[in-house]
């Protein structure tokens, strides 16, 4: 894991596939690239078998573009739709057994710190709502209570998409699904509340119909996890198959859901604010000047 | 045959808003050529689609019609589209990319 791992062995470059050469020569490794520049550089994510028009795909694409140091990042995932794409990026991907992702990421993060000391190596978990809030619930919560320093991202499509439409803890009450024909009997779980109680230093909700906001929260979450503590992002990433959303209406749905019940929210501890403003120049978190406070 | 997205260079180059590029769910699919439309006096380039990666979801059409309000993208049958961009003909440069257009349906040149 370093800038060197993407380079060609001398003399072998010309035998490599075009996509690989483009990625080494015109990819984002070691550079500052942003969502607003997409289309002008080769993205790390390659082709994958996720469904056409899937919002989760778009979110994963944006998240990978947003990683502050892609060459020093490892992703961790598990069973579910997202891993079909996350594993097709030129970033080392570790597959945890279903629900084990935050346990695997805990060990990995600690190991990387032993091996590389203070040199930042970012670990980012991306998994579905079923894998995170149901099957992996205990491991997710415990990693937060233990203050493990990595980022957890829930790809919340409010259903078990990969296995054909069972309800998850994150499905809304009364929602009827293919494998929940009577409708769900209880409320959507408050994972955001639990993340705060368990001690996450940065918690945000986001919807991919605002790509630059996705970029911004991912960057902050990864940076906070480097030094301050666990960070959690919950992203609404609709399943157009199980929720029967026509693919050209996926962003319309995202907009509606964002307005109705998935508003952007951000929680950040004072310690994380100070760290982001001091080390990474986030002006929004600078302490308010005393004069402005007095004016009130 | 199947549908892929096709961007009208002239309509796009008139505004160059770069919205659809950020909303396509597929990576490396809607690309951006800073020099597109230069011959017609446009300054900021235009987006184009590497059709071999396009899954035909039409999300870009919704974004261009409803968010950008430019109506520059249409879904077209791959065998009717004429010469277009394909990944193998794309060259990346300093903060831009260009494609030599070719017939996307092999064997029917
Ligand atoms: C231990 C174990 N149990 C069950 C499964 C079967 N399985 C694969 S994907 C999946 C559901 C995934 O749902 P979710 O985590 O919400 O992700 P999504 O596919 O919706 O993104 C299940 C139950 C498995 N792979 N491993
Ligand atoms: S099943 Fe749903 S979540 Fe999974 S790839 Fe398809 S649309 Fe996306
Ligand atoms: S949204 Fe439309 S006008 Fe804007 S860059 Fe895309 S094709 Fe061009
Ligand atoms: S139709 Fe879908 S996959 Fe094809 S270019 Fe448009 S947004 Fe991308």
């Amino acid at each position: 894991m370093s800038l060197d791992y993407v380079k060609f062995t001398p003399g072998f470059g010309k035998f490599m596939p075009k996509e690989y050469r483009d990625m080494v020569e015109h990819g984002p490794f070691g550079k500052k690239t942003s969502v607003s520049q997409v289309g002008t550089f080769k993205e790390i994510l390659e082709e994958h078998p996720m469904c056409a028009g899937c919002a989760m795909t778009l979110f994963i694409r944006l998240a990978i573009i947003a990683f502050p140091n892609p060459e020093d990042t490892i992703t961790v995932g598990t069973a579910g739709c997202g891993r079909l794409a996350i594993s097709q990026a030129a970033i080392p991907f570790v597959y945890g057994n279903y629900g084990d992702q935050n346990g695997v990421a805990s060990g990995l993060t600690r190991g990387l710190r032993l091996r590389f000391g203070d040199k930042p190596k970012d670990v980012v978990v991306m998994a579905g709502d079923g894998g995170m809030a149901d099957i992996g619930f205990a491991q997710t919560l415990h990693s937060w209570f233990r203050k493990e320093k990595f980022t957890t991202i829930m790809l919340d499509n409010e259903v078990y998409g990969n296995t054909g439409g069972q309800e998850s803890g994150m499905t809304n009450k009364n929602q009827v699904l293919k494998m929940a024909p009577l409708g769900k009997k209880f409320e959507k779980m408050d994972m955001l509340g639990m993340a705060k109680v368990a001690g996450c230093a940065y918690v945000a909700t986001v919807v991919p119909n605002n790509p630059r906001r996705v970029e911004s929260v991912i960057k902050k979450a990864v940076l906070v996890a480097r030094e301050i503590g666990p960070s959690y992002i919950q992203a609404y990433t609709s399943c157009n198959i199980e929720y029967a959303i026509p693919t050209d209406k996926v962003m319309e749905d995202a907009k509606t859901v964002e307005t109705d019940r998935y508003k952007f929210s951000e929680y950040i501890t004072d310690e994380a604010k100070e760290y982001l403003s001091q080390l990474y120049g986030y002006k929004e978190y600078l302490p308010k000047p005393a004069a402005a406070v007095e004016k009130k | 045959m199947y549908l892929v997205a096709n961007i009208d260079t002239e309509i796009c180059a008139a505004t160059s808003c770069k919205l659809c590029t950020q909303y396509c769910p597929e990576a490396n699919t809607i690309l951006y050529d800073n020099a597109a439309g230069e011959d017609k006096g446009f300054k900021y380039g235009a987006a184009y689609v590497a059709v071999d990666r396009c899954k035909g979801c039409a999300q870009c059409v919704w974004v261009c019609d409803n968010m950008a309000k430019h109506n520059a993208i249409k879904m077209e049958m791959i065998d009717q589209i004429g010469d277009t961009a394909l990944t193998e003909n794309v060259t990346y440069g300093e903060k831009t990319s260009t494609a030599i257009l070719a017939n996307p349906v092999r064997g029917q040149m």
Side-chain angles (χ1 to χ4, degrees), chain A residues 50-51 54 56 81 157 161-162 238-242:
Chain A
M50 285 182 76
C51 300
C54 175
M56 191 186 292
C81 290
N157 59 1
N162 207 195
S238 67
C239 174
N240 47 290
I241 298 292
E242 295 307 331

Side-chain angles (χ1 to χ4, degrees), chain B:
Chain B
M1 286 305 146
Y2 58 97
L3 291 164
V4 290
N6 191 24
I7 299 177
D8 184 313
T9 307
E10 280 191 41
I11 305 179
C12 179
T15 52
S16 316
C17 73
K18 300 189 183 178
L19 264 190
C20 59
T21 48
Q22 301 175 38
Y23 283 86
C24 172
E26 301 303 315
N28 305 300
T29 304
I30 306 189
L31 303 171
Y32 206 84
D33 180 352
N34 284 330
E38 242 174 22
D39 50 338
K40 299 202 172 73
F42 295 112
K43 284 195 199 135
Y44 303 106
Y48 64 97
V49 179
V51 295
D52 51 322
R53 288 179 184 265
C54 172
K55 287 184 181 170
C57 68
Q59 227 168 88
C60 53
V61 176
W62 190 87
V63 167
C64 191
D65 290 357
N66 296 283
M67 293 176 81
K69 304 208 189 298
H70 293 146
N71 307 305
I73 314 182
K74 298 272 173 291
M75 300 308 292
E76 286 179 40
M77 282 293 170
I78 186 104
D79 61 340
Q80 316 265 303
I81 204 168
D83 284 355
T84 186
L86 295 165
T87 301
E88 64 188 23
N89 298 330
V90 170
T91 313
Y92 289 90
E94 196 51 43
K95 296 194 174 157
T96 188
S97 76
T98 35
I100 297 165
L101 307 185
N103 189 318
V105 186
R106 281 169 204 289
Q108 295 186 11
M109 304 293 269

